[in-house]
């Protein structure tokens, strides 16, 4: 599916967030939430920085929307129903579930998430729970894969003991 110029700009904004995550030593996933044609939230993974495994890009965007709604005295249920999500990697099961519970309108993502994907790669959360958001897959997938490869070439100092890459002693 071809994106409009504006949709491409939104996906580029998500990739900007993913690149920031990579620079910060986080898994490079970036996300933007679009409401009424405007970027209302920008997020990236902050799992390592916060030492909180739930701080995915989507969850950080949700928090920003809730803050925006409170500041603007707007009902968040009404806002989330009009949210379009642009994210560089397929949402995990946790994120797909909360996006469905919040009744967002659609998700556009880059590459599939073969380890934790919640929109069909590992588990199809929308189908499982009857969520009706539209899904567009594979947008700039190679670029998203490239960022993930760049991250996994390095060592994650925040990985649990026994999970960090070991240096080859040969």
């Amino acid at each position: 599916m071809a994106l409009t110029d504006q949709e491409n700009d939104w996906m580029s904004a998500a990739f900007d967030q993913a690149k920031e995550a990579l620079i910060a030593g986080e898994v490079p996933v970036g996300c933007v939430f679009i409401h009424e044609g405007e970027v209302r939230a920008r997020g990236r993974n902050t799992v390592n920085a916060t030492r909180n495994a739930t701080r995915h890009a989507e969850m950080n965007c949700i928090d920003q929307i809730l803050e925006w709604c409170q500041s603007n005295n707007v009902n968040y249920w009404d806002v989330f129903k009009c949210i379009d999500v642009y994210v560089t990697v397929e949402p995990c099961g946790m994120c797909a579930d909360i996006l469905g519970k919040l009744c967002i309108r659609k998700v556009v993502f880059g590459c599939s998430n073969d380890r934790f994907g919640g929109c069909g790669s590992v588990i199809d959360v929308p189908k499982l729970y009857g969520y009706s958001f539209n899904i567009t897959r594979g947008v700039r997938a190679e670029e998203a894969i490239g960022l993930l490869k760049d991250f996994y070439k390095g060592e994650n100092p925040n990985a649990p003991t026994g999970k960090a890459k070991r240096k080859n002693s040969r």
Side-chain angles (χ1 to χ4, degrees), residues 1-53:
M1 176 189 147
L3 299 181
T4 66
D5 287 344
Q6 189 169 42
E7 290 173 316
N8 276 315
D9 289 345
W10 294 332
M11 198 62 175
S12 290
F15 273 100
D16 289 344
Q17 292 296 305
K19 290 170 188 169
E20 283 184 24
L22 180 63
I23 291 166
E26 300 281 352
V27 176
V29 179
C31 182
V32 294
F33 278 23
I34 308 305
H35 176 253
E36 296 180 344
E38 292 185 36
V39 176
R40 291 272 188 244
R42 298 172 190 271
R44 63 175 180 82
N45 279 8
T46 56
V47 170
N48 292 335
T50 61
R51 298 201 184 283
N52 180 337

Side-chain angles (χ1 to χ4, degrees), residues 118-165:
C119 293
S121 291
V122 175
I123 187 168
D124 194 340
V125 171
K127 183 178 179 184
L128 182 66
Y129 293 113
Y131 299 141
S132 60
F133 60 84
N134 292 319
I135 300 171
T136 301
R137 300 167 167 78
V139 176
R140 294 167 63 176
E142 291 302 316
E143 185 177 353
I145 291 168
L147 287 173
L148 290 169
K149 284 181 178 178
D150 287 346
F151 175 78
Y152 287 110
K153 283 178 192 172
E155 181 177 325
N156 181 352
N158 296 302
T161 305
K163 299 289 183 185
K165 287 184 182 176

